Amino acid sequence: MTVLSNSLTVSDGGLGISAAGQRPVVVAGCCSSGAVAAPTTVDTLDGLTSTFGYGPAVRDAAAILSLAGGSVILCRAATVTAAVLGGFCQSGGGSGAAGTFAAVVGTGTAIPALTGTADQPYAVVVVCTTAGANIAATPVVKISLDGGVSFLATGLVAVSATPQAIGTTGLLLAFTDGSFVLADSWSAVGAGCPTNADATGTSVPVFSGTPNDAYDLRAVVTAAGASLAALTATVKFSTDGGNTYGDSVAIPSTGVYAIPNTGVTVTFGAGTLVVGDVYRVKTSAPLWSTSSLDTALDALAPMAGGYEFVHVSGPVDGTSAATVKAWAVEREAAGEYTFAQCEARDNATGESDTTRNAAIAGASPGFTGYDGGRYLDVHASYGYVQSFTHPGSYPRRSLAALRSARLASEPVQRHPGRVRSGRIEGLMPDPDGSSSLLHNVATYTSLDTARFSGAQSVKGQARGRYFFTSRTMALATSDFSEVQRIRVMCVAATAALAQMSTYVADDIACKSDGSGQITEAEAQRVEREILAVMKRAVQLDPNTFVSAVAVTVVRTNNLLSTGNLQARISITPKGSVNSITTTITYTLGA
């Protein structure tokens, strides 16, 4: 073979390890403006929003930019699934009502009914997923509690003439017999929707627009109005489900108010507004397809070496994660060593943590049997995360962006949960340790077993302080089951490949004994050169990422006839303390 070549294979030896200034992080995902699949470096929040508007990629980039400093590269992925604006629900000082379904959207004749007292306001939508001539034909439905933004597991509530509980909501669903047609739907949203205390004002708001992200919008009447024309009504708004509210704003006679930087407008109808009435709407975020995400990732090829890893904004499942992994494998084949930080989906409204965790760890589209190798980290913890694009609010979000920020601000060999580095920054203050982190891996250990990364409390640390686990989607027996192992290897492999390329087409002294093997003196020279480069890259100050490096040039290969120089580079990683066992006792003597 005479074509010049240089290759390096990262070998996973399965060591049995339990599961200085950094290059920028790439954020790939959907946003409301900016060129698609055009990587752009940004270093200020103003520059970020003026170029890309708002949306999942922008808010994640803003978190990384604010917490880690430096620059962020944003690559917009085309939106394929538009954001959904759910149906609104309400609460206030009125009487409770289970709500009444509107007429069927479709042709079926079955009639659903809600009973019970809801534990909070819900916007209920029921959709037929398996048709049936009647109840005896065992039709199947799926239920949304947020007006169609998210759905509980299909078939979770049986179709029956006897009222069936909808989880722990306090609501029950029953059907008057009739026909069920595929895709038929019924909704109980808006005025008189399922709630434990209806609003008392007669003004009915209408929410409209295209949301640019997932929000839990709340509007609370803070000053009454006998009518819109009276110009006395004021309302305060929340984008984070009521964790925080902005200042009260006066409602104009038109009743129209655009909620800043959300893409959503609310229009209050004619009627009275009563203090304390609350109106709520949830929205989803825009989402890419695997194809549009892959296009955005492929656009990073000209930036090879200009970033450390990619943060994917938007939840992945076993299918879309495979697309991300395939991209990283392609980059490695091209001589670029990198990985991706991803996030798992959140709970659907009304879905328990146990059910959600079992779903993402289960069969497809869950991650059962999935091997992310040295290319993928999927984060499973959600919490109330500080927004850097909507200052002062703490919406429910994945902690994946906070994890990426921590990685970007720490040396590559460092465990992201290192207690000495401090608690996770960017979570809502939580002095009681009871509210800001919603999926604590110390409680839900099954997430770690399923190889999701997460956040957890640590015994001995103050309540409300949380720390990241190091888990990756690599198999538990892999050398790369901890994210710092992936990061160090990416640095080492990059340095090694660059050094080995200097020997391409080089003259190498070989023995004259007919073996065609490299001479001992030549082998030692090459070893010294490689070792010096590797030590500078990963062992010597300031890059003290590993404990030791060794280099061996293969002496037994017939280099003269094959033209193939073979070398082995071995790295001894630094250990990370994942568990501590201590005994304390009294003693009679010192």
Side-chain angles (χ1 to χ4, degrees):
M1 181 177 181
T2 58
V3 176
L4 302 180
S5 68
N6 179 31
S7 65
L8 182 148
T9 300
V10 175
S11 177
D12 185 349
L15 296 177
I17 301 172
S18 300
Q22 307 300 320
R23 289 174 293 160
V25 176
V26 171
V27 178
C30 297
C31 48
S32 60
S33 60
V36 172
T40 304
T41 300
V42 292
D43 51 19
T44 67
L45 292 178
D46 287 343
L48 180 64
T49 55
S50 64
T51 303
F52 292 101
Y54 294 86
V58 171
R59 46 108 156 146
D60 287 351
I64 296 169
L65 195 63
S66 300
L67 295 173
S71 299
V72 172
I73 301 168
L74 195 148
C75 191
R76 183 186 182 191
T79 295
V80 175
T81 301
V84 173
L85 182 65
F88 93 87
C89 48
Q90 60 179 343
S91 64
S95 59
T100 302
F101 281 105
V104 64
V105 177
T107 58
T109 59
I111 302 173
L114 288 167
T115 54
T117 300
D119 61 343
Q120 60 178 296
Y122 293 109
V124 180
V125 174
V126 178
V127 177
C128 178
T129 59
T130 300
N134 50 37
I135 292 176
T138 62
V140 179
V141 299
K142 64 178 180 179
I143 298 172
S144 172
L145 296 171
D146 50 26
V149 172
S150 63
F151 284 85
L152 300 174
T154 299
L156 180 68
V157 177
V159 174
S160 173
T162 303
Q164 303 291 307
I166 304 177
T168 59
T169 63
L171 292 171
L172 299 98
L173 176 67
F175 284 88
T176 299
D177 209 355
S179 61
F180 294 79
V181 177
L182 182 66
D184 275 4
S185 64
W186 304 263
S187 62
V189 301
C193 65
T195 181
N196 54 359
D198 294 327
T200 54
T202 58
S203 174
V204 178
V206 175
F207 292 82
S208 60
T210 301
N212 56 43
D213 208 342
Y215 301 109
D216 188 347
L217 301 172
R218 311 252 178 137
V220 179
V221 180
T222 52
S227 66
L228 293 176
L231 296 177
T232 60
T234 62
V235 177
K236 63 181 180 179
F237 292 88
S238 172
T239 60
D240 58 13
N243 286 330
T244 61
Y245 283 90
D247 295 333
S248 294
V249 296
I251 301 302
S253 59
T254 60
V256 178
Y257 179 75
I259 304 174
N261 302 324
T262 63
V264 178
T265 296
V266 58
T267 302
F268 289 92
T272 60
L273 284 89
V274 176
V275 173
D277 281 355
V278 180
Y279 304 96
R280 175 183 179 181
V281 166
K282 297 188 78 171
T283 74
S284 66
L287 188 62
W288 33 259
S289 66
T290 53
S291 177
S292 69
L293 177 62
D294 193 42
T295 298
L297 294 174
D298 285 343
L300 299 172
M303 305 190 72
Y307 60 91
E308 186 193 353
F309 65 94
V310 172
H311 172 96
V312 177
S313 294
V316 300
D317 57 22
T319 300
S320 51
T323 297
V324 180
K325 177 183 175 181
W327 165 79
V329 172
E330 290 170 1
R331 296 316 309 153
E332 181 171 301
E336 180 185 6
Y337 302 91
T338 187
F339 67 98
Q341 172 70 66
C342 302
E343 63 188 64
R345 74 164 177 87
D346 194 8
N347 302 43
T349 300
E351 183 180 35
S352 71
D353 290 338
T354 300
T355 299
R356 173 264 187 178
N357 294 348
I360 64 174
S364 180
F367 285 84
T368 290
Y370 184 80
D371 178 10
R374 55 183 175 274
Y375 310 106
L376 213 65
D377 179 331
V378 181
H379 194 80
S381 290
Y382 277 69
Y384 295 111
V385 175
Q386 180 179 356
S387 172
F388 295 93
T389 54
H390 296 77
S393 66
Y394 290 88
R396 178 173 177 140
R397 300 281 189 238
S398 168
L399 270 64
L402 304 186
R403 181 178 176 83
S404 289
R406 176 56 62 95
L407 294 177
S409 60
E410 291 282 351
V412 295
Q413 88 286 357
R414 185 155 291 166
H415 191 300
R418 182 174 180 262
V419 171
R420 291 181 186 272
S421 296
R423 61 179 175 81
I424 296 173
E425 296 291 340
L427 276 175
M428 184 173 69
D430 187 11
D432 296 327
S434 59
S435 59
S436 68
L437 179 61
L438 301 171
H439 302 109
N440 188 334
V441 178
T443 301
Y444 297 111
T445 56
S446 62
L447 292 173
D448 182 71
T449 301
R451 293 177 285 116
F452 294 99
S453 66
Q456 66 167 98
S457 54
V458 173
K459 291 181 180 178
Q461 290 294 301
R463 291 173 62 86
R465 290 170 59 88
Y466 302 104
F467 304 87
F468 288 118
T469 65
S470 61
R471 180 71 75 188
T472 71
M473 266 290 158
L475 297 178
T477 54
S478 169
D479 288 348
F480 303 101
S481 61
E482 293 189 278
V483 70
Q484 64 271 25
R485 308 287 184 214
I486 295 177
R487 299 183 72 199
V488 169
M489 185 55 75
C490 286
V491 173
T494 299
L497 186 67
Q499 175 59 24
M500 295 310 296
S501 71
T502 66
Y503 300 109
V504 173
D506 200 9
D507 300 328
I508 296 293
C510 295
K511 296 178 181 178
S512 59
D513 60 0
S515 67
Q517 297 169 350
I518 189 172
T519 65
E520 182 62 27
E522 192 83 324
Q524 290 184 21
R525 175 185 68 83
V526 173
E527 286 172 344
R528 288 193 299 271
E529 291 174 354
I530 299 172
L531 184 61
V533 168
M534 295 307 300
K535 281 180 172 289
R536 287 196 299 271
V538 296
Q539 187 179 8
L540 302 179
D541 282 334
N543 303 322
T544 55
F545 306 147
V546 303
S547 299
V549 180
V551 178
T552 301
V553 169
V554 176
R555 271 96 163 149
T556 57
N557 178 50
N558 188 333
L559 191 152
L560 195 60
S561 63
T562 65
N564 179 225
L565 174 66
Q566 298 177 4
R568 298 191 183 99
I569 303 173
S570 302
I571 300 172
T572 304
K574 288 190 173 181
S576 296
V577 179
N578 286 318
S579 65
I580 297 173
T581 303
T582 306
T583 300
I584 185 171
T585 185
Y586 285 113
T587 180
L588 293 175

